[in-house]
């Protein structure tokens, strides 16, 4: 168990926001050479790789981004050749998103960069502290 620090505590939301922004910056720098930009595009690509045929609306809900960010990221990933859109046969207004062969080939590189980034983020934690952090973050109420 982590002992409470006598130092002034920062607000939890602020700390989580700082961690998130730092992680986004690191990943954007690492992925820039692969034509994948900021704004969490890697999150969208990973989700599409994990669930081929997902829709933009499903991505928006799953990743908790707004619709505009999802649309922008999908458009940029498509322009970079990582995903393709296909009309949804059940709903012509919707498109299914699929990884291209380029994305499938890139998946191990993406996973290695994500693993490296997570290792860097938790490098000062013991394995027990890392497990505890994961449990605590998962307990947070993230529903709207």
């Amino acid at each position: 168990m982590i002992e409470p620090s006598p130092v002034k505590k920062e607000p939890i939301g602020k700390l989580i926001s700082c961690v998130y922004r730092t992680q986004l910056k690191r990943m954007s720098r690492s992925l820039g050479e692969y034509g994948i930009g900021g704004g969490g595009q890697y999150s969208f690509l990973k989700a599409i790789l994990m669930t081929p045929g997902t829709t933009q609306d499903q991505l928006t809900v799953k990743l908790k981004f707004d619709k505009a960010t999802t649309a922008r990221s999908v458009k940029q990933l498509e322009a970079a050749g990582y995903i393709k859109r296909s009309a949804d046969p059940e709903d012509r207004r919707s498109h299914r998103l699929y990884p291209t062969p380029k994305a499938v080939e890139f998946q191990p590189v993406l996973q290695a960069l994500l693993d490296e980034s997570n290792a860097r983020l938790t490098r000062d934690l013991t394995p027990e502290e890392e497990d505890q952090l994961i449990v605590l973050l998962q307990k947070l109420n993230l529903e709207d």
Side-chain angles (χ1 to χ4, degrees):
M1 187 75 153
I2 300 173
E3 293 296 319
S5 172
V7 240
K8 182 180 178 224
K9 292 183 181 177
E10 294 282 343
I12 292 170
K14 177 182 176 186
L15 292 171
I16 291 172
S17 177
C18 287
V19 168
Y20 174 72
R21 286 193 315 273
T22 299
Q23 198 75 336
L24 272 182
K25 285 180 195 174
R26 285 181 187 158
M27 289 305 296
S28 292
R29 279 194 306 266
S30 297
L31 293 168
E33 70 182 88
Y34 300 101
I36 299 173
Q41 284 184 27
Y42 65 90
S43 298
F44 293 98
L45 180 56
K46 181 163 180 165
I48 294 165
L49 283 161
M50 300 297 290
T51 313
T54 192
T55 66
Q56 280 187 212
D57 286 340
Q58 290 168 332
L59 283 177
T60 297
V61 171
K62 179 179 181 175
L63 299 178
K64 299 186 186 314
F65 282 91
D66 60 69
K67 287 184 178 189
T69 300
T70 302
R72 194 170 37 254
S73 292
V74 164
K75 184 177 179 181
Q76 290 167 340
L77 287 169
E78 185 178 31
Y82 286 101
I83 64 169
K84 62 181 178 174
R85 296 181 210 218
S86 181
D88 186 340
E90 297 172 17
D91 181 359
R92 289 287 178 193
R93 297 169 296 163
S94 186
H95 288 87
R96 298 279 175 181
L97 306 171
Y98 296 93
T100 62
K102 177 180 179 178
V104 173
E105 183 180 314
F106 180 66
Q107 187 171 10
V109 175
L110 175 61
Q111 191 58 55
L113 290 170
L114 290 168
D115 292 344
E116 178 184 315
S117 182
N118 282 323
R120 184 174 176 192
L121 185 65
T122 59
R123 69 177 176 241
D124 294 330
L125 300 179
T126 65
E128 294 79 20
E129 288 171 333
E130 184 177 348
D131 290 345
Q132 184 180 27
L133 177 61
I134 290 167
V135 167
L136 293 172
L137 289 171
Q138 288 174 337
K139 284 177 86 171
L140 293 179
N141 183 0
L142 300 178
E143 299 302 316
D144 286 345

